[in-house]
Amino acid sequence: GDSVTQMEGPVTLSEEAFLTINCTYTATGYPSLFWYVQYPGEGLQLLLKATKADDKGSNKGFEATYRKETTSFHLEKGSVQVSDSAVYFCALSPFSGGYNKLIFGAGTRLAVHP
Amino acid sequence: DTEVTQTPKHLVMGMTNKKSLKCEQHMGHRAMYWYKQKAKKPPELMFVYSYEKLSINESVPSRFSPECPNSSLLNLHLHALQPEDSALYLCASSQADLDNEQFFGPGTRLTVL
């Protein structure tokens, strides 16, 4: 079945460091790919998405490129801030008529220190 | 309005109580979802409604009963819950077609005593 694998956390970085969180997926067909972020005590917020191969999603300095050949969607940011501390979930949405069923990775906790 | 609201924010209930969680959106979305999230885990899909009809029930115990009274509202009725049902319950909505992201509410933190 469809699945998402994320690198295990926690990831601990100093402010202004470069961030990479790896995400690979297994899916039939051509799913859409998403990164969601969850701040402590809150629900999930969409960070970025890509709907086809070679698409690059970007938002708030974060980027991820849909790589079909490596079935990957790695999240990157050039310079993290303390406010980026949160849990990041990679997710895929396979084709479904009438709704989008999200399949999440396990999540990666990011802690950024001043 | 790009917000999904959920009430209550926190709920404590005994195993014999009956309570309901409520979710509302005014984005014109025709798909709505309930998720359960345990600590340090990803959300687990429970139910999906599409055009006010139940489309997916992920083998959820009958002590959880969803209801979609109209296209803007989604309820989750709770009865005879167990302590292991304590979790964050998240509601989400989306357009009912391809490639549209889900918008999540802030969740209801449920504690079953």
Side-chain angles (χ1 to χ4, degrees):
Chain A
D2 297 342
S3 66
V4 175
T5 302
Q6 283 182 243
M7 62 186 290
E8 289 189 24
V11 173
T12 303
L13 295 173
S14 298
E15 206 165 23
E16 299 184 2
F18 184 85
L19 169 71
T20 300
I21 300 179
N22 290 337
C23 171
T24 58
Y25 68 90
T26 301
T28 54
Y30 304 96
S32 295
L33 301 174
F34 305 86
W35 277 101
Y36 281 86
V37 58
Q38 186 173 31
Y39 297 100
E42 298 185 10
L44 276 70
Q45 300 176 26
L46 178 70
L47 185 58
L48 52 85
K49 72 174 186 180
T51 58
K52 61 183 185 297
D54 300 324
D55 266 3
K56 177 186 279 188
S58 61
N59 185 28
K60 299 181 182 179
F62 291 91
E63 293 183 341
T65 301
Y66 189 142
R67 300 286 188 201
K68 189 171 183 295
E69 63 278 10
T70 55
T71 62
S72 65
F73 193 54
H74 305 321
L75 182 68
E76 296 182 337
K77 187 176 185 183
S79 176
V80 294
Q81 306 300 312
V82 172
S83 57
D84 293 327
S85 299
V87 179
Y88 292 81
F89 292 99
C90 184
L92 70 82
S93 178
F95 172 79
S96 299
Y99 52 85
N100 291 301
K101 182 174 179 178
L102 279 175
I103 297 169
F104 288 96
T108 302
R109 184 173 301 275
L110 170 66
V112 180
H113 298 287
Chain B
D1 186 358
T2 58
E3 193 178 358
V4 176
T5 59
Q6 290 188 243
T7 56
K9 191 172 176 64
H10 299 278
L11 178 62
V12 179
M13 60 186 291
M15 290 190 285
T16 58
N17 292 158
K18 284 185 180 181
K19 297 286 185 183
S20 296
L21 310 184
K22 296 185 184 302
C23 173
E24 189 168 8
Q25 57 88 15
H26 295 288
M27 294 178 277
H29 291 167
R30 300 307 296 274
M32 297 187 75
Y33 311 76
W34 279 116
Y35 290 86
K36 173 182 177 180
Q37 186 179 26
K38 301 285 275 186
K40 299 187 178 181
K41 296 291 186 181
E44 298 174 20
L45 183 65
M46 301 174 71
F47 302 104
V48 180
Y49 274 83
S50 178
Y51 295 95
E52 295 88 69
K53 294 194 186 312
L54 184 64
S55 297
I56 292 182
N57 176 343
E58 293 282 16
S59 302
V60 179
S62 60
R63 58 185 183 268
F64 295 91
S65 175
E67 178 196 21
C68 190
N70 60 55
S71 61
S72 299
L73 293 174
L74 186 66
N75 298 321
L76 186 62
H77 303 296
L78 314 173
H79 173 56
L81 294 193
Q82 303 298 308
E84 60 265 29
D85 297 321
S86 298
L88 181 68
Y89 288 84
L90 295 165
C91 173
S93 69
S94 75
Q95 299 285 1
D97 55 13
L98 290 177
D99 303 333
N100 280 292
E101 65 267 26
Q102 293 183 23
F103 290 78
F104 283 81
T108 294
R109 176 76 59 189
L110 174 67
T111 302
V112 182
L113 300 177

